[in-house]
Amino acid sequence: MAHRVTGVLIFFFLFVHVLDTALVRVSPEDYDNVVATYKTPIVALLEYGLVAAILFHALNGLRVIAVDFWSKGPRYQKQMLWTVVGVWVVLMIGALYPVLGHAVREVLGS
């Protein structure tokens, strides 16, 4: 279920991204305003959520491929899921500072 949800979330992000990028040809001033809103701490949290969705979707996709194409895949499905979750948690911890660092500095004023 989480694989499908993250896939839908990533699709909607890509849809909005294409729309806001297309705005540069229609109204460069409006495009600049939209890009300025992307530099807020709230959007930084959304970016972190996007990173979370993409990482989980990618890692779980590799697990699904292994289950489908590896003869022993179905037998190790549960262990592979927990491995995916563990790797995902480690990568998300590693993504904290690069993704949220500027937002924390802006909120704390440093």
Side-chain angles (χ1 to χ4, degrees):
M1 182 65 144
H3 191 74
R4 291 178 179 155
V5 170
T6 56
V8 169
L9 291 174
I10 294 166
F11 170 78
F12 281 120
F13 163 76
L14 290 173
F15 181 72
V16 169
H17 179 64
V18 168
L19 288 178
D20 71 7
T21 303
L23 190 60
V24 75
R25 290 187 136 302
V26 177
S27 174
E29 298 83 22
D30 288 337
Y31 174 78
D32 291 338
N33 292 335
V34 168
V35 169
T37 63
Y38 291 165
K39 297 176 183 175
T40 63
I42 292 172
V43 174
L45 284 173
L46 293 172
E47 287 176 344
Y48 189 70
L50 177 64
V51 169
I54 290 170
L55 276 176
F56 181 81
H57 193 79
L59 293 170
N60 194 56
L62 293 174
R63 182 190 69 85
V64 169
I65 290 169
V67 168
D68 287 347
F69 294 106
W70 180 35
S71 62
K72 296 180 183 178
R75 184 181 316 153
Y76 295 107
Q77 191 170 173
K78 193 174 205 176
Q79 293 91 334
M80 287 189 293
L81 175 62
W82 286 111
T83 302
V84 163
V85 170
V87 170
W88 178 79
V89 167
V90 169
L91 291 174
M92 289 308 298
I93 290 169
L96 270 170
Y97 182 75
V99 177
L100 294 176
H102 69 281
V104 171
R105 286 188 298 276
E106 185 176 319
V107 168
L108 298 178
S110 55

